[in-house]
Every structure is written in structure tokens, then in C-alpha cells.
Amino acid sequence: MSKHKKRNQYYSEVCDDPYYDNIPMSEYSQFDSDEDDVPNIEIPTIEVPTNKKARAVRAFANRIAGDCHVKVLEHKELLFYDEEAFCYTPISAPLVFVQQVLGTKAWNLTQKDMRDIVQALFSDPDIQIAAEDVNADPYRINCLSGDLDWQTGQLREHSDQKLYTYCVDAYYLVPDERQGCPVFDQFCATSLQNDPEKRQQLLEVLGYILSDAVGAKSAFFLHGAPDSGKSILLNFASALLDKRLIVNIQLHQLNEKFKIAELLGKKINVAGEIKGSALRDISSFKSITGGDRMCGEFKGESPFYFTPTCKLLFAGNTLPETKDTDMTRSFVNRLCVVIFGVSIPKDKQDKNLLNKLLEERDEIFSLAMDALASLHKRNYQFTVPTDTQHFLNAYAETQSSVHAFLKDWCEIGNGGYVFSQDLCSAYREYCDLNGFDPIKNQAMQNMIVTLPNVSRERIRAEGKNLRGFRGLIVHRESRNAGTTEHSS
């Protein structure tokens, strides 16, 4: 009998015999297609209808999907429940996966047969899930201890019914089980200047970025000089998650066409240093932190829509310049900055500090969950230490070309005046001298008119009758400016 006819016979059996509907996949390997196992009996050649093979392929696919808890994410990616990882993980090589599950000798399948089974899995409507279906409960987090409700500290057992695609590599300890974390405390005492508010802020950030919580509308920036501990925290947070869940996209790259798609299914975007490039557009930054639905596209593939849940974590010793005042305000409003105020000398650095912190991961993770619960009660308003507030205020002021211009070259509220054309000329000269990107004249004047005791009106002075601003003087000898005594 030919191999083709034998394979059709097996297909017919698996479709028609009810025994095969209940046999576990682990038992398939007992059926061997070697010639010695085939009874030496003449069997008439029977033409098997083409739909027999299709039914057999579907039967194999259904059994694999059931036994391995296979899901199809966004019609693009096969996942299976990994009982050792306690979560759903991608099937990177579907053909190899099918072969391993069926066994290399089972049913005498060809490569085409296995490709048909893979295609049947992808097209099965019963196992399709959307990106919004995974990690969907913002009040629960998957960790080694189980499915944790971080508001109450209650744990449930791991289950394939929960569509988690991650598991935090740490155990949650109830307060009675905790014995302290002296290495972490010493780290906070040095790098965070023993400031309890900074320690609390750092724990809030760790808890939030590891969780599926939403609502903060924030990105996170670790600020400080080199050797201040920023990289240690970045590496610690990254070590608590599988590498496949972490992406590394710089802040200024978030608007690039194919970068947004890389956020699909990721937990954290970690960028160790923010480049000095000025930010020209923060629309994607705002959409990611705000949880807005976005369009992603992989190179050579069709665009798709998804809601990013990836948290943004950056580090550096400076923030990038922004294009204009409105952008600066929007950017600052979405930043949570942790200041690392002490640079540790090389001879005093503990080269094994990261490993020591990881040994305390259970304690630190448990404290971070407590901090997350407290953060939620405050409607995700992060703790803001004094130096963080001063840093953000100073950054906003230096990035606002209009505010800097008013501070350095102008006097407000003294009854003076300036013509609009001279004001615009002085503002652009100031920007040229100080390296600012000037905003449009109309936008600048609209900001000026909102100042107290400043009005926009027609001014008759110096033999001119022009539009200008009363209550404002530009302190440049080359600029036309004066007082009300000079104007009629």
C-alpha cells in the first residue's frame, strides 16, 4: 500500500472513529506509521473524498488548540499557555510547535500537512483574541505567587483562563511574611538622599509600570548625573519581566512610522539615555501615555489599530528641548520625574548591587504593590518631591521661548508700550541669540495679551499709529519702546 493511501486511511479513522475525539495528544505517539506496524492484509484501494483530509486537519488543529490552550492574537500571532511561565507566550515557529506536539512519527504527516494544520489554527474563529483581551484587568497583576489583586492583596491560582502574556518574576509577600530589604534601603539612602518622598515615588513608579493599571497618563524619567543609580533601576525593572516584553525606543523615535507597531504586546519601553534631539512632535507620546487607539504598521505589512498599554521609562541627565510653549506644557504635564541627586564615586560603587537588589525582589515588589494601591486611592497622582517640582518648573521656563523672552528682555505692568512689529522683531532676535525655535508671531502675541495689566490696542506715539501692547516694555536700546507719557 502506498504511503498516500495509508495516510488517507489514518485521516479517515481520525475523522470517523469517536475514540479519537477524546484521546489526549500525549497518546498520539503510540501510532507509528512504519511498515512493520501495518497489518499484512490486502486492503482494497478506496478513493477518499477530499473533504476527509480537511476534516482530519481540522481535528488535529482542534486537539492542539484544546490540549495546549492555543490562542490567535489579532489574527497575527499564535500563543500557547506555558504552564512553567504561568502565562501565554508566542509560538515563534508554528511548524516546529505542531511537530513537537504531534510527535515526529505520528500519523506520517508531511510538511504540507503540518502547514495545513497551522493554517487551520490561524483561521479557527473560536480561539481568536484581540489585544484588548489580554492583561485586561487593571486591578490585577500576574506574579509567581499567582493572580494578585493588588488593592486587597488577595491571590488566586494561576489559570489558563486568564489571558496574561506576562508573569512578574517575583513573589508577593503579605506584611507578616516580610523581613525587610536592607540593600534597597541603603540604595535609597545614597542615590535618593534618604528622602522618604523619593523612596515612595520610586516604589509608585515600579508598581505602576509592572502592573496593567491605567489612568496615570504619565511617562517616567529617571534624572541624574552619571553613576547616580539610574541604570541600576532600569536594569532592575527590566529583570522582573521576560525580555520579549521589553522594547527599547528612544523618545524622539516614537513618531517614526514603524516604531509604534513595536509597542504591541509590550509591557515597558526602556531607553537608557534621552538623545539631545529637540522634540518636534509629541502626538504619539501623548497618545501612548493617554491610552488612545493608534495605528501601527510593520514594514511590508498592512496597518492595524491597537490601544498601547506599554509604559514609557526613560533615564538621562537632561530632558530634550521642545518646539514651543504649548508642547512644553503638554510634555511636562505627562512626566513623572525621579531625581537621583548623588553621583557615587567609582571607588565606592558596589559592582554587585544589581544582583543584591534582585535577591530582595520579593520584598521590593511587595512594597511596590502597596505603593500602587495607595497611588490608586489618590487617583494616580504620583508623589512629587520638592526637588522634582523645582526641576520641572525650571525646565518648563527654559523651554518656553516666550516666557524666557519676557523674563530676560521685558518689563511688564509699568504703563509702557511696544509696537507689535517691534515686539515680534525683538522676540525673534532673542530666539536667534539663545537657540530657541520661535513660535508663530500670532501665537506669541496671543500669549502676551493674557498677561496681567497688558492690553493689545492701537497706539499713537512717535509719529506712528500702529497696533501694539500697553503695559509692556522691551529692554533693548535698538527697539522702539516708551512710556505712556510719550504717547497720545
Side-chain angles (χ1 to χ4, degrees):
M1 183 186 298
S2 70
K3 291 184 178 180
H4 175 72
K5 292 176 181 177
K6 285 188 294 180
R7 186 162 61 250
N8 282 345
Q9 178 184 342
Y10 295 146
Y11 285 139
S12 180
E13 290 174 354
V14 79
C15 290
D16 296 336
D17 191 339
Y19 168 75
Y20 290 93
D21 291 336
N22 298 312
I23 186 171
M25 290 303 303
S26 59
E27 297 296 324
Y28 285 165
S29 58
Q30 65 177 294
F31 297 99
D32 198 330
S33 61
D34 291 343
E35 295 291 341
D36 293 340
D37 294 337
V38 179
N40 189 20
I41 302 174
E42 273 304 314
I43 301 176
T45 300
I46 301 173
E47 290 297 326
V48 179
T50 56
N51 68 336
K52 285 285 188 180
K53 180 177 179 180
R55 290 171 59 193
V57 166
R58 175 57 61 189
F60 282 129
N62 288 343
R63 187 53 52 85
I64 293 173
D67 285 2
C68 300
H69 309 289
V70 174
K71 306 292 182 184
V72 183
L73 178 62
E74 293 284 345
H75 305 282
K76 298 177 182 296
E77 185 176 37
L78 284 176
L79 310 174
F80 81 104
Y81 186 76
D82 187 338
E83 294 184 353
E84 295 182 358
F86 306 118
C87 64
Y88 281 87
T89 60
I91 300 173
S92 57
L95 286 176
V96 176
F97 177 81
V98 168
Q99 183 171 342
Q100 289 174 340
V101 172
L102 294 179
T104 56
K105 296 181 179 180
W107 306 104
N108 199 26
L109 297 176
T110 67
Q111 286 291 312
K112 182 180 184 306
D113 296 330
M114 288 188 289
R115 284 196 294 270
D116 290 341
I117 293 172
V118 170
Q119 186 57 45
L121 286 170
F122 270 107
S123 61
D124 187 344
D126 295 330
I127 61 175
Q128 305 291 327
I129 58 175
E132 287 77 8
D133 296 330
V134 302
N135 311 323
D137 191 338
Y139 304 112
R140 306 195 72 87
I141 187 170
N142 196 32
C143 64
L144 294 179
S145 300
D147 179 13
L148 171 67
D149 182 335
W150 46 260
Q151 293 184 100
T152 64
Q154 297 298 311
L155 284 162
R156 295 192 302 217
E157 292 185 358
H158 295 111
S159 170
D160 56 75
Q161 299 301 308
K162 290 291 184 179
L163 297 178
Y164 287 114
T165 59
Y166 73 94
C167 181
V168 177
D169 189 20
Y171 290 90
Y172 176 75
L173 306 175
V174 298
D176 291 343
E177 297 174 327
R178 302 174 192 174
Q179 299 179 350
C181 41
V183 177
F184 179 72
D185 291 338
Q186 180 60 31
F187 175 82
C188 294
T190 53
S191 293
L192 301 183
Q193 301 167 290
N194 206 27
D195 186 334
E197 284 192 330
K198 287 187 179 182
R199 183 179 186 272
Q200 178 66 18
Q201 181 193 34
L202 181 59
L203 288 170
E204 291 169 0
V205 171
L206 282 174
Y208 186 79
I209 64 175
L210 291 173
S211 74
D212 300 313
V214 294
K217 294 187 176 182
S218 294
F220 306 95
F221 179 59
L222 310 182
H223 175 268
D227 300 320
S228 58
K230 307 185 305 296
S231 297
I232 293 293
L233 253 297
L234 290 182
N235 293 333
F236 176 81
S238 300
L240 297 183
L241 294 169
D242 192 293
K243 291 181 180 179
R244 65 181 172 80
L245 299 166
I246 299 172
V247 68
N248 307 107
I249 303 174
Q250 292 289 340
L251 177 61
H252 69 280
Q253 295 178 315
L254 289 177
N255 280 305
E256 294 182 10
K257 184 176 181 181
F258 299 118
K259 293 295 184 181
I260 294 174
E262 294 185 26
L263 301 178
L264 177 65
K266 306 303 182 184
K267 285 286 288 180
I268 310 177
N269 177 70
V270 178
E273 283 294 336
I274 290 184
K275 300 293 184 181
S277 304
L279 295 180
R280 304 291 178 181
D281 184 0
I282 62 169
S283 57
S284 292
F285 172 82
K286 292 169 64 177
S287 294
I288 295 166
T289 55
D292 298 333
R293 192 166 176 81
M294 302 183 71
C295 180
E297 180 181 354
F298 292 107
K299 193 170 184 178
E301 298 185 15
S302 300
F304 61 93
Y305 289 89
F306 73 109
T307 301
T309 56
C310 183
K311 310 294 173 55
L312 304 180
L313 179 61
F314 303 104
N317 54 17
T318 185
L319 287 175
E321 295 180 2
T322 51
K323 182 178 179 181
D324 55 48
T325 300
D326 288 340
M327 181 186 293
T328 301
R329 186 181 301 110
S330 298
F331 184 55
V332 168
N333 288 344
R334 292 174 184 263
L335 279 184
C336 176
V337 179
V338 183
I339 304 288
F340 288 73
V342 178
S343 183
I344 309 300
K346 296 288 186 182
D347 60 338
K348 294 185 178 180
Q349 293 176 14
D350 185 350
K351 303 303 181 182
N352 200 35
L353 178 58
L354 176 59
N355 290 331
K356 291 179 180 179
L357 286 172
L358 289 173
E359 290 176 0
E360 297 181 348
R361 69 182 73 189
D362 298 341
E363 298 274 353
I364 299 171
F365 172 69
S366 303
L367 292 173
M369 292 299 98
D370 295 347
L372 177 60
S374 175
L375 179 68
H376 170 65
K377 292 178 181 178
R378 302 196 308 273
N379 198 27
Y380 297 107
Q381 298 299 305
F382 287 88
T383 299
V384 183
T386 302
D387 58 355
T388 294
Q389 190 60 62
H390 289 166
F391 171 80
L392 289 174
N393 289 342
Y395 172 75
E397 183 173 316
T398 58
Q399 293 306 305
S400 170
S401 57
V402 177
H403 289 168
F405 168 67
L406 291 171
K407 178 182 178 182
D408 294 344
W409 280 21
C410 300
E411 183 178 343
I412 303 171
N414 65 349
Y417 70 90
V418 61
F419 296 124
S420 295
Q421 61 185 22
D422 296 328
L423 175 66
C424 294
S425 177
Y427 166 68
R428 294 193 170 276
E429 180 183 344
Y430 177 84
C431 289
D432 288 341
L433 291 173
N434 292 277
F436 286 111
D437 289 325
I439 64 175
K440 293 181 179 179
N441 288 340
Q442 189 61 48
M444 182 270 291
Q445 293 182 70
N446 289 341
M447 291 180 62
I448 296 290
V449 80
T450 63
L451 297 171
N453 302 317
V454 174
S455 61
R456 181 161 49 189
E457 57 188 78
R458 183 168 292 279
I459 298 174
R460 293 182 176 86
E462 305 173 31
K464 301 176 182 179
N465 182 9
L466 300 172
R467 301 290 295 178
F469 292 86
R470 291 195 181 277
L472 181 68
I473 293 177
V474 176
H475 288 296
R476 294 289 284 176
E477 292 181 358
S478 61
R479 298 296 159 208
N480 290 328
T483 63
T484 51
E485 286 78 15
H486 299 146
S487 62
S488 60

